[in-house]
Amino acid sequence: DTAVSQTPKYLVTQMGNDKSIKCEQNLGHDTMYWYKQDSKKFLKIMFSYNNKELIINETVPNRFSPKSPDKAHLNLHINSLELGDSAVYFCASSQGVIIHTEAFFGQGTRLTVV
Amino acid sequence: GNSVTQMEGPVTLSEEAFLTINCTYTATGYPSLFWYVQYPGEGLQLLLKATKADDKGSNKGFEATYRKETTSFHLEKGSVQVSDSAVYFCALNFGNEKLTFGTGTRLTIIP
């Protein structure tokens, strides 16, 4: 059973398009995240939701809009894609907002904008 | 702000060699410290963690000790294997749920 699953695994699209990445977790966690990993493997948090409420929103362009229909899902919609959006996007989840909790990551979605 | 600095890779070692990947942090207060590992084509997995000073995290033969005096959390393994080839990330967090990652260190073990 996959704990955190994201789709698609690979996404190639043209500049200016709008695309979505879906994420689902079956761990019963109430906190979910989106991270961006650039070509140098640097990981940076983008968003965090707890019980469908946005709790972390780093400096991310407005073209990125997360949506959490329920606490098991956190989707990422990107408008007007740009070349610099090419990266691997990781979804993750953890239980609660307590310190020391372990985050479980999905396998990543490699987005390539051409 | 909080930050994590880890040794730049790539690191290439022979099987059974001793491994050290350095990690130091800057933070106001005492964060929890983590090592995550990313195997090829996979997401990150927690390798080990330590939540307070002098704690030692260990898993799969890897160890790291939370050193408050030197603000360090170096990852060590006595005898590496080919299957340890991966990218290793040092990270910290406080109670705000946000993991701050280092830049990652790519480790390649050759037979």
Side-chain angles (χ1 to χ4, degrees), chain A residues 71-88:
Chain A
K71 72 176 191 178
H73 296 83
L74 181 62
N75 304 323
L76 183 65
H77 189 74
I78 316 170
N79 290 326
S80 304
L81 278 155
E82 300 177 358
L83 292 177
D85 297 332
S86 295
V88 181

Side-chain angles (χ1 to χ4, degrees), chain A residues 28-108:
Chain A
H29 290 166
D30 53 11
T31 305
M32 296 184 71
Y33 315 80
W34 277 108
Y35 284 83
K36 180 180 179 181
Q37 186 178 46
D38 63 23
S39 58
K40 296 183 179 179
K41 296 290 189 183
F42 185 67
L43 263 169
K44 188 171 181 183
I45 191 166
M46 301 172 67
F47 301 103
S48 173
Y49 271 72
N50 176 258
N51 279 321
K52 306 191 295 175
E53 303 254 342
L54 180 65
I55 52 173
I56 294 176
N57 183 353
E58 293 294 294
T59 308
V60 178
N62 290 337
R63 300 181 293 103
F64 289 79
S65 53
K67 284 188 170 49
S68 182
D70 55 62
K71 72 176 191 178
H73 296 83
L74 181 62
N75 304 323
L76 183 65
H77 189 74
I78 316 170
N79 290 326
S80 304
L81 278 155
E82 300 177 358
L83 292 177
D85 297 332
S86 295
V88 181
Y89 292 83
F90 285 100
C91 179
S93 73
S94 66
Q95 180 55 41
V97 296
I98 342 168
I99 196 169
H100 317 321
T101 55
E102 173 184 355
F104 290 78
F105 285 78
Q107 290 191 321

